[in-house]
Amino acid sequence: MALPHFRVTKRLTYSDIFSKLELPTLIQDHMIPFMNGNHFLDLMAADIWGQQWPLRYYTRPAGHRRGPVFTKHRWRQFVEAKRLRVGDEFIFSGHQVIAADDGELEIQYNIEVKRASAITFRGQPVVLDVEYLAA
């Protein structure tokens, strides 16, 4: 059963940046009900500005490593546009909303990336969304 709200976080690795993003397996409880028996789900995720980013969520067929991923092509577009780095904190969330046109429940997805800045407070780096950091 899909969860009405979810949020997963992950520190980005070299492989996440330069290949595909491997997601925490706990996300499967939310995503599988929307996949209609397929091994992928194309979705749109909004950044903090409301810009929509196309992503493909994918799980490998049975018998293979089953960890969920965002596939390379669409994920890399986001990585390049946001200038993501190894060690950034990736946050993917979703929540159910009622669609305006037909009153059915749908999921809105959000995507954020945080990075420690050069700014400190009480000796600790201040974490900011990558949107606010200079290149």
Side-chain angles (χ1 to χ4, degrees):
M1 178 170 170
L3 306 171
H5 305 281
F6 75 92
R7 180 181 169 105
V8 294
T9 63
K10 180 185 184 190
R11 289 266 173 232
L12 297 178
T13 66
Y14 181 88
S15 177
D16 294 329
I17 297 293
F18 294 99
S19 183
K20 59 194 168 290
L21 174 65
E22 293 192 30
L23 297 161
T25 57
L26 63 91
I27 195 174
Q28 289 177 310
D29 290 340
H30 172 75
M31 303 300 282
I32 287 174
F34 299 102
M35 296 178 68
N36 298 322
N38 295 318
H39 292 287
F40 69 91
L41 175 65
D42 290 326
L43 58 92
M44 298 296 281
D47 63 17
I48 65 168
W49 305 111
Q51 180 178 349
Q52 296 289 320
W53 294 91
L55 296 171
R56 176 168 279 187
Y57 171 84
Y58 177 81
T59 56
R60 295 164 182 95
H64 300 283
R65 191 168 164 226
R66 295 195 51 113
V69 299
F70 283 143
T71 58
K72 182 177 182 174
H73 176 68
R74 294 177 179 176
W75 168 245
R76 287 287 300 152
Q77 291 174 342
F78 182 79
V79 167
E80 291 170 7
K82 303 298 182 176
R83 299 182 183 137
L84 303 187
R85 300 181 194 163
V86 172
D88 287 350
E89 181 184 19
F90 168 78
I91 304 159
F92 180 68
S93 60
H95 61 280
Q96 290 181 351
V97 296
I98 298 175
D101 56 341
D102 60 9
E104 293 290 319
L105 284 177
E106 63 181 38
I107 303 297
Q108 286 187 346
Y109 298 102
N110 297 300
I111 190 168
E112 298 175 66
V113 181
K114 306 280 186 188
R115 180 180 305 148
S117 69
I119 302 166
T120 60
F121 179 73
R122 295 187 178 176
Q124 298 296 316
V126 174
V127 177
L128 299 173
D129 193 286
V130 295
E131 305 286 347
Y132 297 112
L133 297 169

